[in-house]
Amino acid sequence: MKIIKSIPLMQSISNKAHKPVGLVPTMGSIHEGHIKLINASKKQNTTTIVTLFVNPAQFAENEDFHTYPRNFQKDKKLLSDLGVDILFAPETSQMYPSGFQTSVINDRLSSVLEGEKRPGHFRGVSTIVSKLLNITKPNNAYFGQKDFQQLLIINKLNNDLNHGVKIVSIPTVREKDGLALSSRNIHLNQSERKTANKIYASLKHAESLYLNGEVNSDSIIYAIQTYLLKESLIKIEYISIRDKFTFEDVSTVMPGSIILIAVSIGKTRLIDNLII
Ligand code: AMP
């Protein structure tokens, strides 16, 4: 596995890479969720590039940029063992040199849910993903459905800015008890971890209500709220039911609706979703 830190070098390698090229952007602390994206890329491409960059621009001042889990040596070994061809891991000063002043902003999708709770987050995500697409020039780029709003925004920027990449979405990988894998899960202490599976359990509870005939969004949201309020460690940030294509709120749940949840447990913020 080649490890590249310089943008010009990465660009010249990308220009010569055997196509098709698959890109898997990550912030590291590689887990089975990332591995599923990487394996999909390896299956569908001749060259797989994984990027590892904890992007300061997508963390607000009060967020966990400094405590975000980092483990470069372990990640490097794991990615090499997985058969990744190229690891692109630039320094922040490469990605945001002094004088950097251009951002990619999606005004609409970025204004709700994660965007509302985390001002500036999607501006940081859209800008870095746009840069990574330009630097690595992939044919296919892989993103997880766990970050569903991010996936929609990336699909939109890919179309709107004519990157011409095929965006491939990969279903959420979960622990045995249903908790969606996330690099942040290691911050949960034992009791927090025990409670964290209730997030997915509440989504499955909502799904079973729907399957038993309940289609009113407000009623389903209320049922999820009631379910989660029993867990004293869980603080609900939002529960929302939207159309998975338009991302508009829906009043009637139907196939193609998506339930999205954000909570905090102690100091850890977790998101999850379930597509009906
Ligand atoms: P991150 O390193 O958290 O920025 O995630 C990098 C990519 O992995 C994103 O496209 C995420 O949506 C995806 N990802 C993170 N967790 C999971 C998971 N549990 N299942 C599937 N994909 C995931």
Side-chain angles (χ1 to χ4, degrees):
M1 181 178 75
K2 281 197 183 95
I3 300 174
I4 311 293
K5 290 189 168 268
S6 134
I7 294 175
L9 182 58
M10 186 66 246
Q11 281 175 314
S12 83
I13 289 176
S14 304
N15 286 335
K16 290 176 262 166
H18 294 295
K19 294 198 181 312
V21 170
L23 170 70
V24 183
T26 81
M27 296 206 298
S29 273
I30 300 300
H31 54 63
E32 286 297 325
H34 299 121
I35 291 174
K36 194 159 167 203
L37 273 59
I38 292 166
N39 285 338
S41 170
K42 281 193 58 69
K43 215 181 252 172
Q44 295 164 6
N45 299 280
T46 310
T47 305
T48 289
I49 305 175
V50 173
T51 67
L52 196 166
F53 181 64
V54 184
N55 175 30
Q58 69 189 69
F59 292 80
E61 284 286 311
N62 59 337
E63 291 184 352
D64 59 347
F65 174 67
H66 294 291
T67 54
Y68 192 84
R70 292 167 170 85
N71 204 332
F72 187 69
Q73 295 309 325
K74 194 171 158 211
D75 285 349
K76 198 167 75 175
K77 162 112 185 34
L78 195 57
L79 294 171
S80 165
D81 290 348
L82 285 169
V84 168
D85 300 289
I86 300 167
L87 169 59
F88 178 55
E91 299 295 336
T92 303
S93 57
Q94 277 270 317
M95 293 307 261
Y96 301 110
S98 72
F100 183 92
Q101 50 184 254
T102 305
S103 291
V104 176
I105 300 172
N106 176 320
D107 286 327
R108 208 184 66 78
L109 285 170
S110 293
S111 64
V112 297
L113 304 189
E114 285 303 285
E116 195 179 348
K117 294 286 175 193
R118 305 184 64 187
H121 172 64
F122 285 126
R123 174 188 181 139
V125 169
S126 302
T127 304
I128 199 70
V129 170
S130 219
K131 282 169 73 70
L132 291 172
L133 294 178
N134 284 331
I135 294 166
T136 61
K137 302 181 187 74
N139 303 94
N140 303 298
Y142 297 78
F143 295 90
Q145 276 172 19
K146 187 185 87 81
D147 301 283
F148 190 84
Q149 193 175 359
Q150 166 176 290
L151 180 63
L152 274 189
I153 288 173
I154 289 168
N155 254 311
K156 206 80 192 92
L157 84 82
N158 180 51
N159 289 332
D160 291 351
L161 301 183
N162 310 103
H163 281 293
V165 173
K166 181 172 173 222
I167 304 295
V168 184
S169 75
I170 302 290
T172 303
V173 179
R174 300 178 180 281
E175 300 279 6
K176 279 206 181 74
D177 67 354
L179 175 64
L181 294 191
S182 159
S183 305
R184 289 187 169 100
N185 290 354
I186 61 159
H187 290 315
L188 298 169
N189 67 28
Q190 226 178 355
S191 48
E192 291 169 346
R193 172 62 190 84
K194 244 178 120 180
T195 303
N197 68 354
K198 297 295 187 301
I199 306 167
Y200 188 56
S202 74
L203 287 167
K204 292 299 281 182
H205 173 58
E207 185 183 52
S208 75
L209 292 177
Y210 168 77
L211 293 173
N212 281 305
E214 180 60 81
V215 293
N216 183 280
S217 284
D218 289 341
S219 306
I220 291 183
I221 289 172
Y222 184 73
I224 298 173
Q225 231 166 15
T226 311
Y227 190 99
L228 289 176
L229 282 174
K230 284 189 252 158
E231 305 299 325
S232 59
L233 292 176
I234 296 183
K235 203 172 135 261
I236 299 170
E237 282 199 14
Y238 63 72
I239 301 166
S240 179
I241 306 184
R242 295 183 176 249
D243 179 275
K244 75 170 186 162
F245 298 108
T246 64
F247 221 52
E248 297 292 342
D249 273 314
V250 293
S251 52
T252 305
V253 180
M254 60 187 84
S257 303
I258 177 168
I259 311 175
L260 305 112
I261 294 191
V263 305
S264 51
I265 304 184
K267 289 200 169 98
T268 309
R269 190 173 182 281
L270 299 172
I271 59 172
D272 203 348
N273 63 71
L274 183 143
I275 297 171
I276 298 288

